Amino acid sequence: MVSFTLRQPIETREPKIEVDRGLPPGIYRFSLVVTDDGGNESRQDIQTVEIRQRRQELLNPGLGRGNLGSGNLGGRNQPSP
């Protein structure tokens, strides 16, 4: 797994990188330069990636996932009119 450090290149012979899951939410810019076996380099490609904070579902633990029951949103038993 790779930990990114500002302005520190990462070199790999594999066509993929497993990214550190510890990056905090934010907007990151990554640049990619590919070098072949002959030492020829590609033009730099820059990509912007936005990491967002994971949303947490608010569930009533007494009810099934995605099922709010019959109009009972507060989790309290209330008589029907």
Side-chain angles (χ1 to χ4, degrees):
M1 186 170 331
V2 175
S3 293
F4 292 109
T5 304
L6 187 63
R7 292 183 177 72
Q8 294 295 316
I10 296 171
E11 295 183 15
T12 180
R13 296 193 69 74
E14 301 298 319
K16 61 182 178 180
I17 294 176
E18 187 175 338
V19 178
D20 176 9
R21 293 180 181 218
L23 284 176
I27 297 175
Y28 297 87
R29 291 182 62 195
F30 294 93
S31 65
L32 174 68
V33 176
V34 177
T35 306
D36 67 13
D37 291 334
N40 301 307
E41 291 187 350
S42 68
R43 287 195 289 181
Q44 181 183 36
D45 183 43
I46 298 176
Q47 294 293 315
T48 301
V49 176
E50 180 179 1
I51 297 177
R52 297 181 182 174
Q53 187 170 4
R54 179 180 239 168
R55 289 185 182 180
Q56 295 179 354
E57 283 188 50
L58 299 176
L59 297 176
N60 183 331
L63 300 172
R65 183 177 178 89
N67 179 7
L68 296 176
S70 57
N72 184 3
L73 299 178
R76 290 183 227 121
N77 291 326
Q78 297 175 357
S80 298

